[in-house]
Each structure stands twice: as structure tokens, then as C-alpha cells.
Amino acid sequence: MEKIIKTTYEEVSKLAADIFIDVIRNKKDAVIGLATGSTPIGMYEELAKAYEKGVVSFKNVTSFNLDEYVGLDPKNETSYRYFMNEYLFNKVDININNTYVPIGKEEGIEEACKEYEELIAKHGPVDIQLLGVGEDGHIAFNEPGEYLHANTNVTVLAQETREVNSRFFNSVEEVPTKAITMGMGTILKAKRIVLIANGEKKRAVMERLFADDTVSTDFPISFLKLHPDATIICDRAAYPGK
Ligand code: F6R
């Protein structure tokens, strides 16, 4: 696991965007894995800028998002599909039919998990997967616990995650209780993984991650230590150490 520490969030965003641009320029039909949340917003802005300048084209790219809330319509402004359209897909030349975000429909959700897993297997392997990390160490929505799922699954969100994510909603009660998420195995199958983290709120997670070589289901991010090509990029506020 490689660790890169940048001074600012802007530098983290720029470097992560440059890595993705490099992958796409070298493989026009790259399959990329994407994340939502606050952390990737700067990187998506960089990608949109690079597209406008003609530095990169997403024309033949296929994307898979990590997760989606269960019970939110894709048109709902707090859904991850809406987020992706807003922050990236509508700003670049990607074919929207080649952008996949899990469908968080209550009905037939188990089947939807299986289908998403199969779809990734069909188009994959993912060339490069972007990740953020929760303050409790979750990756995608694989929450800390006694065990983790290998495949795309429906998860009950930790109360802490709902509280942290309530900033996107009117109240914590509005935050869905469940999500559909790629599993740990789904994520680890990507050829390359880039995790970005910034700000003091992520410091405890970064310090625990870099403290030793242990891997534990109560700290899902630690599974990245098992991947042959995982890079953690964070700013100084998230990790003041070396
Ligand atoms: C989002 C996702 C989550 C976030 C994590 C951090 O698709 O998979 O694991 O990456 O909750 O969120 P932010 O970036 O808002 O701190």
C-alpha cells in the first residue's frame, strides 16, 4: 500500500484526477470505479476541467459506482445517481448508458445485487477504482462489523454514518437506513485502487491505517493492505505524519 501525503485538499484532488486521466489516456475504453461523498468533488472538478481543455475524453469509458441508498429514486437530489450526473457525467462526454450506479429499489434488491456483481464481472476488471473512507473506516458502505461481504450486498448503515451523511439531507431521519454497496471482494478485484482522504475528521482513520500491518473486519479500510496496487492519497490535516 503506497501512501502519498499532499499539503492541501486541492493537491490531493489534482493528483487523483491526474492518475485517472493517465489511465484513460492510455486505455480509451477504460473501466473506472467511482465514489460519491464530499471528498471526490474536487477531483471531479479537475476531471471536468481537463475534459474542457481537451486533455481527456470519456467517450469510450465505462464507469461503476460503489453504492447507492436504498429507497431513493435516481431523480432524488440526494441519490448518488443524481450526485454523479451533477458533478461529473453531465460535465464530460461520457455516454450516460455506460455509467452504472447500483439501483436502490427496495423491491428485488437481492436480485439487483447479483445483477450488479455480474455486470461488473462482464465489463471488468475495473482498471482503476476511486475510494473515500468513512470516519468509522468504512469503504463504499461496507461498515465495520464481525464480518464483511465479498460481493455486492445490502447493508444497514451505521448510525454514525447516517449522522455524518445527514449534512446532505434536511435531517438525520431522512437519511435512508440501508444502502446497496459493492462488497469488499468486488472492490479488491480492481486492478488499481486510489483512496483519497482529507481533513482532520479522517485523521484517526489514517493514523490507525498506517500504524501497523493488521487487517480487521472492524476496520474495513485495512483490507486495502491486501491489494497489490493500492494508493492512499491524503492531505496533511488527515495525516500529519510521514
Ligand atoms: C461513497 C462512499 C463512502 C464515502 C465515505 C466518505 O460512494 O462509498 O464510503 O467515500 O463515506 O465520505 P465523504 O467523502 O463525504 O467524507
Side-chain angles (χ1 to χ4, degrees):
M1 202 177 61
E2 195 193 352
K3 175 190 355 151
I4 301 176
I5 302 160
K6 292 295 203 182
T7 310
T8 63
Y9 170 66
E10 287 69 29
E11 287 171 345
V12 169
S13 304
K14 179 84 175 62
L15 177 59
D18 285 346
I19 294 172
F20 271 68
I21 290 168
D22 215 44
V23 169
I24 297 165
R25 283 170 60 108
N26 281 309
K27 189 178 175 202
K28 303 238 171 309
D29 60 348
V31 180
I32 61 174
L34 300 173
T36 54
S38 304
T39 318
I41 292 176
M43 172 186 164
Y44 293 157
E45 282 169 1
E46 291 293 336
L47 290 179
K49 265 196 261 170
Y51 162 69
E52 271 166 37
K53 285 191 200 149
V55 174
V56 68
S57 166
F58 294 80
K59 212 168 158 206
N60 299 308
V61 166
T62 299
S63 71
F64 283 95
N65 262 81
L66 290 168
D67 40 22
E68 178 61 282
Y69 290 113
V70 172
L72 290 189
D73 190 88
K75 291 199 181 75
N76 186 308
E77 288 181 18
T78 49
S79 75
Y80 285 166
R81 161 53 79 182
Y82 191 94
F83 175 102
M84 288 310 302
N85 289 351
E86 214 40 28
Y87 283 102
L88 185 65
F89 301 153
N90 291 346
K91 298 193 168 158
V92 298
D93 62 344
I94 199 162
N95 177 346
I96 202 78
N97 297 323
N98 295 337
T99 67
Y100 298 96
V101 179
I103 298 178
K105 239 170 99 183
E106 289 270 9
E107 205 184 310
I109 191 80
E110 295 299 336
E111 199 48 38
C113 290
K114 231 177 119 233
E115 280 167 16
Y116 201 63
E117 195 67 29
E118 283 165 6
L119 210 54
I120 299 171
K122 185 176 146 208
H123 292 274
V126 169
D127 291 294
I128 185 162
Q129 174 68 56
L130 178 69
L131 297 176
V133 62
E135 289 170 36
D136 62 359
H138 70 231
I139 291 293
F141 274 140
N142 295 284
E143 295 283 19
E146 209 182 313
Y147 58 84
L148 296 168
H149 287 271
N151 300 328
T152 300
N153 63 93
V154 183
T155 182
V156 174
L157 296 175
Q159 186 54 21
E160 185 186 338
T161 300
R162 293 183 66 228
E163 275 160 22
V164 169
N165 287 5
S166 66
R167 67 191 190 281
F168 296 110
F169 295 79
N170 292 321
S171 68
V172 68
E173 289 74 35
E174 274 187 24
V175 184
T177 53
K178 286 189 276 179
I180 173 169
T181 177
M182 280 190 200
M184 224 54 196
T186 330
I187 294 168
L188 292 175
K189 276 181 209 153
K191 288 193 207 161
R192 189 170 172 190
I193 295 178
V194 172
L195 182 143
I196 51 176
N198 71 290
E200 257 182 64
K201 286 185 176 163
K202 303 291 166 74
R203 190 180 291 180
V205 167
M206 288 298 123
E207 283 179 344
R208 182 171 169 194
L209 179 70
F210 298 138
D212 56 36
D213 71 346
T214 58
V215 173
S216 165
T217 61
D218 73 9
F219 193 48
I221 188 176
S222 64
F223 276 69
L224 297 187
K225 295 175 190 175
L226 303 177
H227 194 277
D229 193 357
T231 306
I232 313 290
I233 309 173
C234 61
D235 69 357
R236 287 234 160 273
Y239 192 69
K242 285 205 172 149

